[in-house]
Amino acid sequence: MQKNKTLKGMLVVSAVAAMFTIGSVQAQTPPAAVQNDATGQTGSGARLSAGDEKALKDMAQANINEVAAAKVALSKAQSSEVKAFAQQMVKDHSAALTKVQAAAQQKGVALPTEPDTAHQAMAAKLEAQSGSAFDKMYMENAGIKDHQMVLSKLQSDAMNIKDPDVKALADEHTPVVEQHLKAAQQMSMPAGE
């Protein structure tokens, strides 16, 4: 029964990821914005507010962190369900990162390129684990805690974003992160805390 729920959860995650990919086609910069490029930046030409720039950087950092943790899980996870979850995280967060990087390049924003200090420390802790202890730690941290934090940050950033392209990215990220969190929570239920 639990495997069936997890499989359904992964199918939903895949469907959301497909919607996420389709949504990017609709969020392209209008031609008028490109023609307005008098500042030497590529893309819209308008400088992003500090809040919009932070939102782009936050989205990039979250995706980088998730991909890095998931790659560790692909090699160390014991459970096939955890490995499937990690594979989905690599797929979805790599696709999302590509979109954020394209938007950042268009807007002239430099993004982080590696996991932040906290996630580097978590990766070291994960590397020291094995078997079911690894699976549990990965799902609790990368699966649940990180997705809760990212969802909260996305929702608060989204309320203050002014740039329509950055807003569209945040709006696309939110349902995917919600689904990842829900799938992680469902997988963690049987272990019972």
Side-chain angles (χ1 to χ4, degrees), residues 51-64:
D52 289 1
E53 189 170 320
K54 180 186 177 306
L56 264 181
K57 288 178 179 180
D58 286 349
M59 285 185 269
Q61 190 67 69
N63 287 312
I64 289 166

Side-chain angles (χ1 to χ4, degrees), residues 106-126:
Q106 182 181 38
K107 305 291 181 179
V109 175
L111 297 176
T113 57
E114 60 184 33
D116 60 26
T117 307
H119 286 87
Q120 289 176 12
M122 178 50 63
K125 288 179 184 176
L126 283 170

Side-chain angles (χ1 to χ4, degrees), residues 81-172:
E81 290 179 80
V82 172
K83 283 187 181 202
F85 180 84
Q87 184 62 52
Q88 193 66 50
M89 296 307 99
V90 169
K91 180 182 172 201
D92 292 352
H93 287 286
S94 293
L97 180 58
T98 299
K99 291 176 186 181
V100 172
Q101 288 169 330
Q105 183 176 14
Q106 182 181 38
K107 305 291 181 179
V109 175
L111 297 176
T113 57
E114 60 184 33
D116 60 26
T117 307
H119 286 87
Q120 289 176 12
M122 178 50 63
K125 288 179 184 176
L126 283 170
E127 286 287 354
Q129 298 296 320
S130 61
S132 62
F134 172 90
D135 291 358
K136 183 176 193 277
M137 182 182 276
Y138 170 73
M139 291 308 298
E140 285 176 357
N141 288 284
I144 296 175
K145 289 178 186 172
D146 278 353
H147 283 92
Q148 286 172 333
M149 179 191 67
V150 169
L151 183 58
S152 175
K153 203 176 271 193
L154 269 174
Q155 290 169 335
S156 73
D157 284 353
M159 291 188 301
N160 301 312
I161 294 172
K162 309 263 186 284
D163 184 271
D165 298 329
V166 178
K167 176 84 167 115
L169 275 174
D171 289 347
E172 288 176 34

Side-chain angles (χ1 to χ4, degrees), residues 19-31:
M19 289 178 8
F20 185 65
T21 302
I22 292 167
S24 72
V25 173
Q26 298 168 345
Q28 293 179 352
T29 302

